[in-house]
């Protein structure tokens, strides 16, 4: 372990709460951002390569709802996975 990492953990500069938040964001935020990237790329491809998509179907509220619902589903799947692991340890 490097000197910096040892000092960081031995003096508890990285609190347990902050480490928990980093762990959560690392497992939920990365797939959420990937999902948002795929949806926004598909949206721009449809806008640029079809003439009727933007006028007929593109509604910002619908796009934001798709993004929010997808990210919520990703978070719920991760929570379910963690709960099942917790339940298996305590069984």
């Amino acid at each position: 372990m490097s000197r910096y990492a040892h000092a960081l953990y031995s003096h508890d500069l990285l609190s347990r709460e902050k480490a928990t938040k980093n762990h959560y964001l690392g497992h939920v935020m990365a797939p959420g951002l990937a999902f948002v990237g795929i949806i926004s790329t598909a949206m721009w491809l449809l806008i640029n390569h079809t003439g009727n998509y933007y006028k007929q179907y593109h509604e910002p509220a619908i796009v934001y709802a798709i993004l929010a619902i997808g990210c919520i589903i990703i978070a719920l799947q991760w929570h379910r996975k963690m709960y099942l692991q917790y339940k298996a340890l305590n069984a």
Side-chain angles (χ1 to χ4, degrees):
M1 185 181 300
S2 72
R3 182 183 301 173
Y4 176 73
H6 180 67
L8 185 66
Y9 290 109
S10 65
H11 290 60
D12 201 22
L13 295 175
L14 182 63
S15 68
R16 188 175 192 94
E17 182 180 321
K18 188 174 181 180
T20 302
K21 287 179 185 175
N22 286 339
H23 179 75
Y24 177 78
L25 287 177
H27 286 280
V28 174
M29 194 171 183
L33 288 174
F35 174 75
V36 169
I38 290 168
I39 296 299
S40 63
T41 300
M43 178 187 70
W44 281 109
L45 287 173
L46 286 170
I47 288 172
N48 289 330
H49 296 292
T50 61
N52 297 333
Y53 170 76
Y54 185 74
K55 294 175 185 173
Q56 291 180 353
Y57 302 110
H58 184 268
E59 297 271 341
I62 292 173
V63 173
Y64 294 141
I66 291 169
L67 296 177
I69 290 168
C71 290
I72 289 169
I73 289 171
I74 289 169
L76 289 175
Q77 286 177 339
W78 185 78
H79 283 285
R80 183 173 184 270
K81 178 183 169 188
M82 291 294 106
Y83 176 70
L84 292 175
Q85 286 180 2
Y86 170 76
K87 213 164 104 173
L89 287 175
N90 292 329

